[in-house]
Amino acid sequence: MLAMPEVNYIKHLREVEDMSISEIAKKTGKNWRTAKKYADGEVPVESLPFRRRGMMYEEEYGEIVDCWLEEDMKLKKKERRTNKKMFEQLKEEHGFKGSYRTVCEYIQHRRPQIKEEKTTRYERLEHPPGEAQVDFGNMTAVKDGAYKDIKTLILSFPYSNAAFSYPLPAENSECFLEGLKQLFHQAGGVTTYLRIDNLSAAVVTVGKGDKRSYTDSFLRFQSYYGFEVQPCNPGSGHEKGNVEKKVGYTRNNFFVTAPVMEDFSQLAHWLEEKMVTDRKRPHYEKGVPIEELWAEDQKQLKALPISDLPIFSIDSATVNKYGEILVDREKFLIHKARIKQTLVIKKEWDKFTCFSNDGEMIYQDSRPYMMTTRPIPWDNILADWEKKPRAVKYSRFFKYLPERVQTYLTIKPDEIKKRVAGLKKLLEVHALQDIHKCLEMEQRIEKEPHELGSLLEAQKATYPEKLSEPHTPSVLLDYETDLSMYDQRLCPTLEGRDN
């Protein structure tokens, strides 16, 4: 442990001088991990230097009990030895002369310590090429001027430290299997062994040891692509430590600040390119580029099947008296269905489709979570921009504005403050996307904020957009009637004709 003056100095460098961990380590001459521990950790609490005495600590009896406690932690609670049983075993097998109370006090002190040691004692696992680990990570992107919370499925290969990532809207079975399929395509093959934790999207129940009950959809997927599963023990995140670290690495390097997404397809392509570029850096331990080690991993991958496995689940729903069904806890109005009719629901990762019992498709829509967003606090952000208008273009939030709004705010540098204040007022009444659409006409970029407000109000007062309906033949769409024939019949003199 460092002396308190050294600890205070490290914290001063971190908090006051805003130095990085590497800079602190170089300046103080300390190990990087030591600098990290004291720079970002809690202030160490001084402990009293008492040394425990007694036969349990000074003789081998304590070591024996420690061994028993550690062994019993791997068993079910009802199969573990009681304090009394350990006391009797010490007496009978090891000639223990102490009291039962002495054993109980030692166990009460050591059991929580051994449990903590067990969770922090990691084994160095050897990972041959071709083995992989998979896990979800929570990330945030920006879509249409609002935050979009997404789940990023990450496939990492511990041998090479190469990784692949695919963004998804949820952690359900359809998303997990669709993401895993896409990751296999990015990798160019199927991993030999796949280590997973107890994901609800794949695991139904957890048994003793490596016993697991998997969902039928996951077993079907595993059989189709031909990989072996290596389950993690409950509460043992270190058993898939490579992918756990890769989740944090992906978040810190690619999702701070939040990237702008058009849709999941565009974000997936962007993320794939980032991961390819990242493989050019050297391996953290082996010193050679990750892409060279990845070539060894690739040699061990299994071939992809000729065709992909379709990923979906089948459910059913009954139409209520209002003509609605419930999908993912959201109500949808089905015009073509009868009240109390039972529909077959095909759920894919991004959409669902409703069929009648005879197979007719009667409705299709996006799954509700595809539309879920969180608002960006534009009111507070714009208030800050009013105080520092020159910082608008450099703000981390500026890129989250629609393109036309960005142009409107910055096209006249001397009017930025006024336009920021005007945009703040407009957002009290109008949506950001409506303002963006209003500014799509080039001449409106020059207008004052209050003039844009008048235009937006006028748009609200006009007739609504024409509803789309599929029944009119395409030849009649936008057909304009020629009224001249009617004029000839009603007023022939206007056309120079007699009856």
Side-chain angles (χ1 to χ4, degrees), residues 353-366:
T353 309
C354 301
F355 298 90
S356 63
N357 287 329
D358 58 2
E360 179 190 1
M361 188 184 83
I362 60 176
Y363 187 78
Q364 188 177 75
D365 206 342
S366 299

Side-chain angles (χ1 to χ4, degrees), residues 313-317 326 343-347:
S313 64
I314 299 297
D315 202 352
S316 62
L326 201 64
L343 303 179
V344 177
I345 313 297
K346 177 185 177 183
K347 291 182 179 180

